[in-house]
Amino acid sequence: MVCRWHKDAIIYSVDVDTFKDGNGDGIGDFKGLTESCRYLSGLGVNCLWLLPFHPSPTRDNGYDVLDYARSRWVLENRQ
């Protein structure tokens, strides 16, 4: 059986850097995003598409990763 959840999904595209600041430094972060999950769910959103948030040379609209090790640091320090 093929799973086709995406056919009925309400997908919301999120730029983490600009969505919601959860720690008061003026930059959106994962804390702010997770604090908003219940609100987004109430709007009917059941899937989040995260826009690129890692260091990138931007040859592929930000989807190309410049340094995977740095990406991990960015994720760990966005709390």
Side-chain angles (χ1 to χ4, degrees):
M1 183 173 161
V2 176
C3 182
R4 298 192 187 277
W5 63 269
H6 60 283
K7 295 288 187 178
D8 297 317
I10 305 297
I11 302 170
Y12 187 77
S13 178
V14 178
D15 185 350
V16 178
D17 287 342
T18 61
F19 183 71
K20 183 179 178 187
D21 177 16
N23 64 5
D25 68 354
I27 300 171
D29 47 44
F30 288 102
K31 182 176 188 289
L33 178 59
T34 56
E35 289 172 354
S36 300
C37 283
R38 191 173 307 247
Y39 170 74
L40 293 170
S41 178
L43 296 176
V45 174
N46 54 18
C47 180
L48 293 176
W49 178 284
L50 300 181
L51 295 177
F53 50 84
H54 49 262
S56 169
T58 317
R59 288 189 292 256
D60 190 18
N61 294 323
Y63 287 92
D64 47 337
V65 179
L66 180 65
D67 183 352
Y68 284 96
R70 174 96 173 114
S71 297
R72 182 175 176 188
W73 182 88
V74 168
L75 285 173
E76 291 171 351
N77 291 289
R78 282 259 169 105
Q79 304 290 330

